[in-house]
Amino acid sequence: MDSSTNSLDDVSADSSAEFPERTSMMEVRLQAQEDEITLLKSSLADALRRLRIHDQLLPLLKQQIIAVNPGAARVLNQVCCSDGCSSRKLSTSSATDGMRHPTTSQLPNSIVTDANGLIESPVSKELQTRPATLDRSTQTEPSLQDRVPLPKRIQSLHLEDALLPGNSMLEGTRAKLHRAPGMEEEDEEQEEDEGVGEQETPSVEEPIQPTMVRSHQREDFQDGSCSPEETGSFRNSDQNLSSRSGPLSSIQEGEKSLVRRNSEKLGNPDRQRKRLDKKAASSANLLTRSPSLENRAKELISSAGSPGSRRGTYSQGQSIKMFIRGRPITMYIPSNIQNYEDLKMEPPSERLELDWVYGYRGRDCRANLYFLPTGEALYFIACVIVLYHINNRTQRHYRKHTDCVRCLTLHPDKVRVASGQTAGVDKDGKPLQPCVHIWDSVTLVTLQQIGLGTFQRGVGSVAFSSADSGAFLCVIDDSNEHMLSVWDCNKGTKHAEVKSTNEAVFAVEFNPSDSTNIITCGKSHVYFWTLSAGQFTKKQGIFGKYKKPKFIQCFVFSLTGDVLTGDSEGNILTWGKSAADVKTLGKGAKETFQIMRQTKAHEGSVFTLCSLHGGALLSGGGKDRKIIRWSADLAPERECEIPEKFGAVRTIADVDDEELLVGTTRNAILRGTFSDGFVAIVQGHVDEMWGLATHPYQNIFLTCGHDRQVCLWQTEEHKLDWCITLEEYGLCADFCPNGSVVSVGLNTGRWMVLDLLTREVVSEFTDGNEQLSVMRYSPDGSYLAVGSHDNFIYIYSVTERGRRYTRFGKCNGHSSFITHLDWSKDGKYIMSNSGDYEILYWDIAAGCKLLRNRFESKDREWASYTCVLGFHVMGVWLEGSDGTDINALCRSHSERVVAVADDFCKVHLFQYPCPKPKAPSQKYEGHGSHVTNVCFTHSDSHLLSMGGKDTCILQWRVIGGGTGESRERLTSSSSTSTSSPELATG
């Protein structure tokens, strides 16, 4: 048993070791094949050049044959007649000997040979020049009956053989038939590399029809075989190429020969590269010398590319290639775009303005809810600080933070606010510098930026001094030592700094009667700090006979100057100064801070304490979810319990001694009193969100995420309509076009259909056991497509107004999980993306058939556009993107703009279509985590964006924009200006 196990381990190790080598070998071989294709195209251009030279020399040869050697034409005519090969005899120009010299038009039409040495009859010639059709099955090939063998004497006959030897007038002509100016070095290298001498090339050559040259790139992918950039197209069309060229003839031997030649040349890539460069140079020289050839081979020469063209994107005939993580992605140019290179990308005339913020960060932050004299609740989520008027139901937003806000405090004047943010990282993974902003809550103007470049990782706690009218600000950062620093608010300078502790710090406050005394609390500690002459001294609270709690969660000051702390044991501890215990601490010991009283307050932690006017105290519990009002001597007076669905009490803000605002651990803000109870005025998700869908004709949208909640929101009322909790978490959703039901895909492969009015499950299915990533109804609602992480797209037929579903088929062809999909406007086709950057097209009406000829879908119109890979949205990708930088995108219903959700907390707005790299955009900040989804409302009046870990939903108002067609703006040269200070054009 052990030996078999060891052998299996050895095999596995060998396989894993060989895998990188095989991958490297395949990459080298792929590069060699691409170089071979480049050589093939150059050889074709060389054949066209030589053909051009022959065409130019034919009249001269005719005259020289007649003047110098009239017998050559007679000999040629006699040979053809004796073998019975020609249907028409050559005539001569001499009346005395009964013969006429051949004219220019007769000679090419009479002697036409192919690569096999066969003469084609006029019927065959007519078929050869017939224009190519789109369907190869309808094309007529010349039959072998129209071709008869040509004697070897004719097959080996060069046109220059008709010239008399030794004639100095014709030496230049004889040389031109083999070599054009600038091609001597190229021919020498061909002989050396291929081992084929000049005399070994066939003498009588097959004429290449102009139709074949022009359609060389297009024939193969029009008939459904393959795309023009793939090697297969050259194998399909190599029978039309000339067999006289050395490199070309070797490649025409077939696929096996091509692979063999590639493997032979892997050892000397420099030599091959030098030869390719000379080929490219000679082809360019040819086009400058022969303008007529440009029309016959410009696509082949331009698509050959340079060695550096593997990066970024480049045009290849009727397709564009872009590279993501080294993988080429081919996209075909629609027919309505005539000149891709001349397209002009402009920023959209539309712009976004933040309209509403859904959610509140209460699950992991403390003391972040205040009530302002303006009647506004002050709180934060993601990078936005919200000022929400609780009566008028309006919002204002402070948006100067560049990353997630972590802490908040209100100045004694009730106007100024200090807020600290986390450090975060930029798109390259480099840490950004955290700071504290001091700003005016009335004007939203930043007054001071403190500590930029000083704090590490982020700012955990902030507090204004009270005794000196808020002249100083105390800050604790998130470094390992949790540095405590005091700053001058007016000057923005640091007054003092000290290392506080290696343990977590939850809160910091100045003593309201003495600004030189500061208290901090956190994990298993309470520290009392004294600031004197820029130096700190620290005294630790002594627990003595009382049990030391694991966490000191919060504290406040009583009217008598004592410190009241709430801890993880559910107790309120009263701290005070006491004389030093000389027996315990020794002679000369100073006064200490000890527990004077312990009051049992809650079951579980005491998360918050709030002082009221007159000395009363409010406490909020964790496990018991209770709010208790205490008298000044800590006697309980009143209590109430908040509903379980809102979680525990995180923080409390006093409105008028009766009405309270309560922040909860499930990201809700409640408003109410002890007598009337509490209702939610702010709600949000509590975990990462991914599913987002907007109603087809109402101003509502639906969200779902890892918290297992499915929420329906109203965009006009800015409130939560309803919320249900599922057994598994939802990842995707879509409304039925009739608007009565919505489908939600879950992480287990199960999906369900919910009735919007009753919230009941009307249908439920399971497809595979992998998570579902996309749900999409067809435009008429007759089909539902379900994209799964098991690489399949499941198609269901929909009846009874979205209440009955029947499996119609399954799309099988992706090699990775499905990420996005869209239906065509006629509801017959699907475009889909996968995790390995594939773009596939499916014919649903034909039985979920994979359309292997992607060129045929280039002009298809799509009812929606959410696929992140496609020609129309290629410009949204930044250079160097790794394929996961864009999580979602959505085209507006007007087809004028496309919104993009990226991995760097940004929402972008591009014009649509956006088919060129480095397209300009408008960039909007506000999210503190990767943006997982974006979606326009049915009227395009608003855009909704959804954060991942920040659990934030931002509702943007779409401003500006015209009514013209989006495609007409592709060639517009007018610039677009915006006035929003928060956006940046990138």
Side-chain angles (χ1 to χ4, degrees):
M1 183 67 182
D2 294 338
S3 61
S4 63
T5 303
N6 294 334
S7 63
L8 290 176
D9 293 340
D10 295 339
V11 172
S12 177
D14 294 340
S15 301
S16 60
E18 291 178 0
F19 181 74
E21 297 179 0
R22 293 180 179 177
T23 303
S24 177
M25 185 179 300
M26 291 299 296
E27 290 178 353
V28 173
R29 185 162 295 181
L30 177 63
Q31 177 65 47
Q33 290 181 355
E34 291 185 354
D35 292 343
E36 203 69 52
I37 293 173
T38 304
L39 178 62
L40 177 63
K41 294 175 180 178
S42 299
S43 301
L44 180 60
D46 183 30
L48 296 175
R49 174 187 57 77
R50 296 183 181 230
L51 208 74
R52 176 68 177 179
I53 295 174
H54 276 280
D55 292 342
Q56 293 176 351
L57 291 180
L58 276 177
L60 179 61
L61 287 174
K62 183 196 68 172
Q63 296 176 4
Q64 293 172 346
I65 288 174
I66 295 174
V68 180
N69 192 11
R74 183 182 304 107
V75 172
L76 182 61
N77 188 27
Q78 290 176 355
V79 172
C80 294
C81 291
S82 61
D83 291 336
C85 300
S86 176
S87 60
R88 287 182 295 177
K89 294 184 178 181
L90 297 174
S91 60
T92 64
S93 59
S94 175
T96 57
D97 56 10
M99 300 183 66
R100 298 179 61 189
H101 295 293
T103 61
T104 306
S105 60
Q106 289 172 329
L107 185 58
N109 291 334
S110 300
I111 307 175
V112 180
T113 64
D114 63 359
N116 297 321
L118 299 179
I119 286 187
E120 298 184 9
S121 65
V123 178
S124 175
K125 179 68 177 181
E126 180 182 358
L127 292 175
Q128 185 179 2
T129 57
R130 184 176 301 168
T133 61
L134 293 179
D135 190 358
R136 286 195 172 185
S137 62
T138 61
Q139 292 184 0
T140 305
E141 296 291 339
S143 62
L144 291 177
Q145 296 175 357
D146 297 328
R147 301 183 180 186
V148 290
L150 187 67
K152 294 183 179 180
R153 179 178 178 182
I154 300 300
Q155 295 182 28
S156 62
L157 183 63
H158 288 66
L159 288 177
E160 67 268 28
D161 288 343
L163 305 180
L164 288 178
N167 194 328
S168 60
M169 298 173 54
L170 306 179
E171 290 302 325
T173 302
R174 191 185 302 273
K176 287 182 180 180
L177 289 174
H178 286 291
R179 185 177 294 107
M183 300 294 291
E184 289 82 358
E185 297 180 3
E186 174 195 341
D187 291 340
E188 291 175 4
E189 289 218 17
Q190 282 186 5
E191 294 176 9
E192 184 178 343
D193 293 341
E194 306 296 337
V196 180
E198 189 71 36
Q199 65 271 17
E200 296 180 10
T201 59
S203 303
V204 180
E205 302 164 11
E206 174 188 359
I208 301 179
Q209 300 298 329
T211 304
M212 297 180 183
V213 177
R214 294 191 187 99
S215 62
H216 179 70
Q217 271 193 312
R218 303 180 183 178
E219 272 187 331
D220 288 324
F221 56 80
Q222 284 176 345
D223 66 1
S225 57
C226 56
S227 58
E229 71 277 2
E230 296 172 351
T231 15
S233 63
F234 293 97
R235 287 190 232 108
N236 292 337
S237 58
D238 59 1
Q239 57 186 348
N240 296 328
L241 302 179
S242 172
S243 62
R244 57 188 284 279
S245 173
L248 188 61
S249 302
S250 301
I251 295 176
Q252 284 178 327
E253 293 175 4
E255 183 177 2
K256 295 182 179 180
S257 174
L258 180 61
V259 174
R260 183 175 65 254
R261 290 191 54 192
N262 288 337
S263 61
E264 291 172 355
K265 293 191 177 184
L266 292 180
N268 195 1
D270 295 336
R271 185 174 181 182
Q272 184 184 10
R273 182 78 62 187
K274 186 180 300 183
R275 183 163 58 86
L276 289 173
D277 292 341
K278 290 184 179 181
K279 275 286 186 182
S282 64
S283 301
N285 184 37
L286 166 68
L287 292 179
T288 58
R289 292 173 179 267
S290 304
S292 61
L293 288 181
E294 186 173 0
N295 295 331
R296 303 168 70 181
K298 64 180 181 179
E299 288 185 357
L300 301 178
I301 301 301
S302 62
S303 63
S306 61
S309 63
R310 290 181 60 82
R311 297 181 179 179
T313 60
Y314 64 90
S315 173
Q316 183 168 356
Q318 294 200 348
S319 65
I320 303 297
K321 266 190 181 181
M322 67 175 292
F323 290 83
I324 295 182
R325 304 188 72 173
R327 175 165 186 165
I329 303 174
T330 303
M331 304 173 189
Y332 295 100
I333 303 176
S335 301
N336 61 344
I337 298 180
Q338 301 299 327
N339 197 339
Y340 173 79
E341 298 298 332
D342 292 341
L343 293 181
K344 297 179 180 180
M345 296 290 99
E346 301 286 349
S349 58
E350 294 83 352
R351 60 186 178 90
L352 301 181
E353 183 180 87
L354 186 58
D355 178 46
W356 200 263
V357 178
Y358 299 89
Y360 156 74
R361 184 169 181 174
R363 71 190 189 279
D364 60 352
C365 290
R366 298 169 172 82
N368 61 348
L369 178 62
Y370 295 87
F371 185 74
L372 300 176
T374 57
E376 295 170 307
L378 179 69
Y379 60 93
F380 61 78
I381 184 171
C383 303
V384 183
I385 300 177
V386 181
L387 297 89
Y388 172 60
H389 200 290
I390 61 175
N391 294 325
N392 299 339
R393 297 185 55 81
T394 58
Q395 281 186 356
R396 295 188 298 142
H397 311 102
Y398 180 78
R399 299 179 55 197
K400 300 302 181 182
H401 284 284
T402 58
D403 213 293
C404 284
V405 183
R406 286 289 310 280
C407 55
L408 193 68
T409 189
L410 187 61
H411 195 273
D413 63 10
K414 305 294 183 181
V415 174
R416 282 179 283 179
V417 177
S419 52
Q421 70 174 59
T422 188
V425 295
D426 61 11
K427 65 179 182 179
D428 297 324
K430 298 179 181 179
L432 300 176
Q433 295 178 336
C435 62
V436 174
H437 288 192
I438 300 177
W439 49 281
D440 190 306
S441 63
V442 177
T443 63
L444 302 182
V445 174
T446 303
L447 304 175
Q448 198 72 251
Q449 190 178 41
I450 290 178
L452 187 65
T454 302
F455 309 125
Q456 296 183 21
R457 297 180 184 170
V459 179
S461 302
V462 290
F464 281 109
S465 60
S466 300
D468 50 14
S469 301
F472 294 98
L473 179 73
C474 183
V475 181
I476 295 182
D477 70 6
D478 287 333
S479 63
N480 291 336
E481 297 82 12
H482 295 94
M483 299 298 296
L484 186 153
S485 56
V486 175
W487 300 76
D488 188 310
C489 294
N490 296 322
K491 298 180 181 179
T493 57
K494 183 163 55 178
H495 186 60
E497 185 178 36
V498 68
K499 295 180 181 179
S500 63
T501 177
N502 289 332
E503 302 291 349
V505 179
F506 295 154
V508 60
E509 286 289 346
F510 283 92
N511 190 319
S513 60
D514 185 1
S515 296
T516 62
N517 292 332
I518 299 173
I519 292 88
T520 63
C521 71
K523 183 178 180 180
S524 301
H525 75 268
V526 177
Y527 291 144
F528 298 85
W529 303 84
T530 301
L531 177 61
S532 177
Q535 298 295 323
F536 282 102
T537 58
K538 178 177 70 171
K539 292 184 179 181
Q540 184 172 359
I542 305 300
F543 289 93
K545 62 180 181 180
Y546 298 97
K547 179 182 178 181
K548 187 176 183 178
K550 186 175 182 180
F551 297 104
I552 305 296
Q553 304 278 10
C554 55
F555 68 90
V556 293
F557 290 88
S558 67
L559 293 180
T560 61
D562 293 333
V563 176
L564 306 177
T565 63
D567 59 39
S568 56
E569 299 295 326
N571 299 320
I572 298 178
L573 303 178
T574 303
W575 298 79
K577 292 182 180 180
S578 63
D581 186 354
V582 179
K583 294 182 179 180
T584 304
L585 301 177
K587 186 177 180 180
K590 299 180 181 180
E591 62 182 7
T592 60
F593 292 89
Q594 296 184 359
I595 299 174
M596 311 298 294
R597 179 182 176 184
Q598 177 177 288
T599 304
K600 183 63 177 179
H602 293 273
E603 181 184 355
S605 293
V606 179
F607 278 146
T608 183
L609 295 172
C610 177
S611 296
L612 301 177
H613 298 290
L617 180 71
L618 295 174
S619 66
K623 187 176 181 180
D624 59 9
R625 306 188 312 279
K626 288 183 179 181
I627 301 174
I628 303 176
R629 180 185 175 106
W630 306 82
S631 64
D633 59 355
L634 291 183
E637 296 179 344
R638 306 180 68 178
E639 71 175 47
C640 70
E641 182 177 326
I642 66 173
E644 183 180 0
K645 65 179 180 180
F646 298 126
V649 178
R650 176 64 75 186
T651 185
I652 301 174
D654 177 31
V655 176
D656 57 7
D657 273 352
E658 286 293 330
E659 190 173 24
L660 304 175
L661 296 178
V662 180
T664 73
T665 57
R666 290 189 64 82
N667 295 347
I669 297 179
L670 312 180
R671 179 187 182 185
T673 62
F674 282 98
S675 57
D676 298 334
F678 292 86
V679 295
I681 59 174
V682 175
Q683 289 179 266
H685 284 268
V686 296
D687 206 343
E688 188 170 356
M689 301 178 293
W690 283 92
L692 174 64
T694 55
H695 196 274
Y697 54 84
Q698 296 182 23
N699 294 319
I700 57 177
F701 66 96
L702 183 136
T703 59
C704 56
H706 290 187
D707 56 4
R708 299 186 292 115
Q709 292 187 139
V710 177
C711 302
L712 187 71
W713 309 82
Q714 295 186 9
T715 59
E716 295 296 329
E717 298 294 329
H718 305 123
K719 68 176 184 179
L720 179 67
D721 195 354
W722 53 258
C723 177
I724 62 173
T725 303
L726 306 177
E727 295 179 359
E728 300 106 15
Y729 58 81
L731 294 173
C732 51
D734 193 34
F735 284 93
C736 184
N738 62 34
S740 62
V741 297
V742 61
S743 296
V744 180
L746 308 180
N747 65 308
T748 58
R750 189 165 65 98
W751 58 275
M752 57 183 59
V753 182
L754 303 175
D755 186 285
L756 291 183
L757 296 179
T758 64
R759 311 175 201 174
E760 295 179 352
V761 178
V762 298
S763 292
E764 186 174 354
F765 294 87
T766 299
D767 290 310
N769 55 7
E770 300 280 347
Q771 69 182 44
L772 302 181
S773 52
V774 57
M775 310 284 291
R776 190 79 63 213
Y777 283 94
S778 61
D780 59 356
S782 58
Y783 292 103
L784 172 66
V786 181
S788 173
H789 269 227
D790 63 5
N791 304 357
F792 298 130
I793 302 175
Y794 300 91
I795 307 298
Y796 284 82
S797 60
V798 184
T799 55
E800 298 181 10
R801 293 184 55 81
R803 296 177 177 274
R804 182 178 177 84
Y805 295 79
T806 306
R807 173 75 76 85
F808 177 80
K810 181 172 67 173
C811 299
N812 181 7
H814 274 292
S815 55
S816 184
F817 57 89
I818 311 301
T819 59
H820 307 84
L821 66 86
D822 293 289
W823 286 89
S824 61
K825 289 186 177 181
D826 58 10
K828 297 180 180 180
Y829 302 92
I830 281 180
M831 169 176 58
S832 58
N833 293 168
S834 61
D836 58 351
Y837 324 125
E838 278 184 327
I839 308 174
L840 297 184
Y841 300 91
W842 312 87
D843 188 343
I844 304 303
C848 304
K849 177 183 177 182
L850 173 63
L851 299 177
R852 300 192 179 276
N853 182 12
R854 294 184 288 121
F855 176 80
E856 294 178 350
S857 301
K858 65 185 179 69
D859 293 327
R860 191 160 287 126
E861 295 185 350
W862 303 100
S864 62
Y865 213 116
T866 61
C867 287
V868 297
L869 295 174
F871 173 81
H872 295 85
V873 296
M874 184 175 61
V876 306
W877 289 89
L878 298 177
E879 188 174 0
S881 297
D882 68 350
T884 62
D885 292 343
I886 294 179
N887 297 313
L889 62 80
C890 181
R891 183 192 66 190
S892 64
H893 297 87
S894 64
E895 301 187 14
R896 290 182 53 84
V897 293
V898 58
V900 175
D902 71 13
D903 238 11
F904 311 110
C905 315
K906 304 295 187 300
V907 174
H908 299 261
L909 202 64
F910 292 85
Q911 80 167 25
Y912 180 86
C914 184
K916 297 196 71 175
K918 300 180 181 179
S921 69
Q922 293 171 357
K923 181 172 58 178
Y924 298 89
E925 300 177 347
H927 285 286
S929 177
H930 55 291
V931 186
T932 57
N933 217 333
V934 287
C935 196
F936 285 95
T937 58
H938 70 96
S939 61
D940 290 338
S941 61
H942 293 85
L943 173 72
L944 298 158
S945 63
M946 199 162 59
K949 293 296 185 181
D950 64 14
T951 68
C952 176
I953 304 171
L954 299 183
Q955 179 173 310
W956 308 85
R957 183 182 296 108
V958 181
I959 299 176
T963 58
E965 291 293 332
S966 59
R967 290 174 175 82
E968 296 177 358
R969 299 183 301 160
L970 286 175
T971 57
S972 174
S973 59
S974 60
S975 61
T976 303
S977 62
T978 56
S979 58
S980 175
E982 290 83 9
L983 62 86
T985 302

